[in-house]
Amino acid sequence: MTQQDHENQLNKTLDRWPPTTVTAVLSLQWLVVLVPGLLVVGDLVAMAWGLEPAGRIAFLQRLLVLIGMVQMAQVLFGHRMPGLAGPSSVLLVGIISTVGSGPASVYGAMAIGGVLMALLGFTGLAARLGKLYTPPVLASTLMLIAVNLVPAMQNMIFVKTAVGQSWAAPFLFTMVLSGLILWSQLRLKGLLGASMIVVGMLVGSVVYYAIGMGPFPGWHGTGAVGFSLLPDHGLSFEPPVVAAFLICYLALISNELGTLESLGHILELDDLEKRVNRSVSVGGLSCVAAAFGGTLGPVTYAVSPGVVLATHNASRWTLLPAAVATVLLGLWPTGMELFQLVPQPVGGAIVFCLMSYTAFASLSVLQTRGQGLNRRSGLVLGAATICGVIITFMPPEAKMALNPYLRPVLGNGFVTGLVLALILEHTLPQLRFDE
């Protein structure tokens, strides 16, 4: 079968329900891809806010329910493609970078960004923003996400353990576990390979406690089903925080456009622009809901085209059972309590693997969507990344010395790096020859 025939066949499965067994297997695969990263990303935000265990569980519950509902909305009314919805790493970085401004300011900025994002979708302007996001800018966006999550990973990895209260032991444990997960994913294919994140989380946790790396925290699950009340953080609007989040939202929209364009190419859709605008509208409204719910806004995951190609099935309906299961997990506090048993170094290993793939995706963008890595694109990516590193690891005294109105922007490594990438990409002269 030629590539053209393969894409036509995928197009035919878009609006069809596969057989029951196939639907169950594909839905499980979507869940395996979504849930581990969702829980770890959610826990990073909960840690940034300094939530107690009960507060973390409530936060993760709200996040799971929101993502499940967004997935249903996208499949039924939004892009109507096999695109997996999950919490946005861009907004995660935005929250972590501005957490000092307080929940009201952060979620107020998120709400404004969500409203503007929805308006871009409703007015049809969202699909036209792709011109800003050339391959070097997209590559810089992905690399900056990985860079700006390094401090959060450090807090998860460098914890004192029961093994002589050593700082080195959890680091070595995390690196070994990360290496085994990555090795397994490269050796195994399909659902088995995708499940290695879950397997690594489970096995890593058991081994961590078995060898005495840390005390077992204990678990008293009740099996009850319920949902926590929404937080009462209110919303306030500080211009510097809003400005920082607006730049994050531009990156969020670019991620959405990139994923949907890839899916549209695979499925040979002739109405992609309408689907993109509907998807951005749903995403914007979902970000507003996330702001009021005190969680994290969604994005369509870039892994979606890979899952479609790996399974040879593009049915959007296979995501509905996965969405329902996500909501049900969010309504099960005991399930969230089980996740709290995962040691921080194990969670750090999962984030390490996810960000390793993010860095790989950054470089692959230049190869698959651009003209390869040349001097110009390398300068954009390199300068943006180095700028992000400098700002991310800026001494606290230097960050506090910044003007309070400039701190959320100039003290945010992701925002400053992305702005530099946009400036360089649209001002540097084009190369005549690929170098």
Side-chain angles (χ1 to χ4, degrees), residues 172-238:
L172 293 175
F173 182 89
T174 300
M175 292 300 103
V176 171
L177 179 59
S178 301
L180 290 173
I181 292 174
L182 293 173
W183 181 86
S184 300
Q185 287 187 315
L186 289 176
R187 295 288 297 178
L188 303 174
K189 304 296 181 183
L191 179 60
L192 192 58
S195 66
M196 283 302 104
I197 291 288
V198 178
V199 173
M201 185 183 298
L202 296 175
V203 175
S205 299
V206 172
V207 172
Y208 183 89
Y209 294 123
I211 64 177
M213 290 284 292
F216 187 74
W219 176 62
H220 307 286
T222 62
V225 175
F227 186 66
S228 61
L229 295 176
L230 294 178
D232 185 23
H233 52 62
L235 301 179
S236 64
F237 308 102
E238 296 184 17

Side-chain angles (χ1 to χ4, degrees), residues 34-48 56 59-60 63-64 87 89 92 96 149 152-153 156 197-198 201 296 301 336 339-340 342-355:
L34 170 67
V35 172
L38 184 151
L39 292 175
V40 171
V41 167
D43 206 42
L44 282 172
V45 179
M47 288 175 58
R56 291 187 184 184
F59 178 89
L60 290 171
L63 180 60
L64 282 160
S89 296
L92 164 64
I96 291 177
L149 287 182
M153 279 190 280
M156 300 178 76
I197 291 288
V198 178
M201 185 183 298
L296 195 61
Y301 274 4
M336 298 299 94
F339 179 72
Q340 298 299 313
V342 177
Q344 287 191 20
V346 174
I350 302 303
V351 179
F352 182 91
C353 293
L354 295 175
M355 291 306 103

